[in-house]
Amino acid sequence: MSKQPKYQQVADALRREIDNGSYEPGARLPSEADLAARFDASRNTVRSGLSLLVSQGLISSSQGLGYEVRKHEVFELNASRFENLNFPQNGDAYSTDVTSAGRRPHQTFRVEVTTTSEYVAQRLKVEPSSRSVLRFCHRFVDEVPWSTQATHYPDWLIQEAPRLTEPGDIEEGTTRYLASLGIEQVGYADEIATRMPTPEEARLLEIGAGVPVLLWTRTGYSADRPIRCTVTTLRGDLNRMNYEIGDLSARENEAK
């Protein structure tokens, strides 16, 4: 006899069935009444178990439509190749990676001159509240919200790279644009963190209850100073990042 509360037993049983494919992504779960009969439990108990799965991001609920298994078509991003100028690109790095995966990219832009937050100022080595250019992208994969990306460029770059303040996309990507002006990114530092989304992030990324976001901060450097700080906020349920560092020929040999 399990010592777990009944609602936890309901949640655990349904989670196992979701994990083993008995209920595939997009499938509707049985009604609360049917589940109550199956588990010999009250509807309130079943509802508590279902609410736990909602909070964990495994299912979603719709008024009058019951519960549905969330779709998780994960996009894999190779962060060590992202923005590599030696890697063949078709447009910017995001469009290249999404297209190469056989999926459809779409993004909207907002560009503004703004004050620099302390978080970004520390990375750009400028004074907090100094002027910077913000290029904000709202990105989609197959029309599903994938990420937001806020890239900040220090004030001194505005004169040297005026296209940074133009609205809309820079077709070749800003890293290539800056390199064409002799402002080459020779290295970057990445920081990875997770947390629960803000209300605005949840709205933009259409994140369900219980789903965290992945925060990826990349600070790019020229030979002598930082040239940009990019904060990418990704849906935690639809993204996986990997890095490839060093000699990986042994892995390639294993695949043969």
Side-chain angles (χ1 to χ4, degrees):
M1 179 80 60
S2 174
K3 295 182 179 180
Q4 288 183 316
K6 189 74 170 186
Y7 80 91
Q8 182 75 61
Q9 296 176 44
V10 171
D12 288 348
L14 292 174
R15 186 186 301 105
R16 285 192 296 269
E17 291 171 350
I18 291 170
D19 289 343
N20 68 25
S22 297
Y23 295 111
E24 296 183 347
R28 295 203 178 279
L29 296 182
S31 68
E32 291 179 0
D34 289 342
L35 291 172
R38 170 186 166 184
F39 290 104
D40 190 23
S42 70
R43 289 188 63 166
N44 283 339
T45 297
V46 167
R47 193 172 296 123
S48 295
L50 292 168
S51 295
L52 180 58
L53 296 181
V54 170
S55 72
Q56 294 170 347
L58 292 176
I59 64 175
S60 59
S61 63
S62 300
Q63 188 70 30
L65 296 177
Y67 297 86
E68 181 179 290
V69 179
R70 292 180 62 88
K71 297 179 181 179
H72 292 103
E73 190 170 359
V74 173
F75 181 78
E76 185 165 318
L77 174 69
N78 189 306
S80 51
R81 287 203 307 253
F82 200 72
E83 303 173 36
N84 185 339
L85 300 188
N86 296 318
F87 191 68
Q89 286 191 204
N90 178 23
D92 64 14
Y94 151 78
S95 297
T96 299
D97 274 17
V98 176
T99 302
S100 297
R103 302 175 69 176
R104 300 187 310 279
H106 170 65
Q107 54 188 329
T108 61
F109 290 88
R110 184 179 83 248
V111 181
E112 61 184 274
V113 177
T114 184
T115 56
T116 309
S117 70
E118 184 172 352
Y119 179 86
V120 172
Q122 288 177 351
R123 286 150 183 81
L124 291 180
K125 305 301 182 186
V126 299
E127 289 296 319
S129 299
S130 62
R131 194 170 72 149
S132 61
V133 177
L134 168 63
R135 297 183 61 85
F136 183 87
C137 304
H138 188 194
R139 290 175 164 170
F140 300 77
V141 174
D142 297 335
E143 303 304 322
V144 176
W146 177 60
S147 71
T148 62
Q149 184 184 81
T151 301
H152 301 261
Y153 299 90
D155 182 55
W156 63 265
L157 263 180
I158 295 177
Q159 291 295 324
E160 299 188 38
R163 286 177 63 195
L164 290 178
T165 62
E166 294 178 359
D169 191 12
I170 294 177
E171 185 177 359
E172 69 272 29
T174 53
T175 304
R176 288 178 183 267
Y177 166 56
L178 292 175
S180 73
L181 301 174
I183 308 168
E184 183 179 358
Q185 177 177 282
V186 298
Y188 57 77
D190 281 5
E191 303 168 66
I192 309 295
T194 59
R195 60 165 169 75
M196 298 309 293
T198 65
E200 177 68 1
E201 290 166 347
R203 182 185 69 81
L204 288 174
L205 298 176
E206 298 180 9
I207 297 175
V211 177
V213 291
L214 175 68
L215 296 177
W216 173 26
T217 301
R218 172 168 288 187
T219 305
Y221 295 84
S222 68
D224 56 356
R225 55 181 164 173
I227 57 176
R228 56 98 179 195
C229 177
T230 298
V231 182
T232 305
T233 305
L234 303 108
R235 284 179 54 159
D237 58 339
L238 296 182
N239 290 279
R240 180 169 59 244
M241 292 175 61
N242 64 59
Y243 287 82
E244 296 176 350
I245 300 170
D247 185 350
L248 300 181
S249 55
R251 185 177 70 173
E252 296 173 1
N253 291 337
E254 287 178 359
K256 293 180 180 179

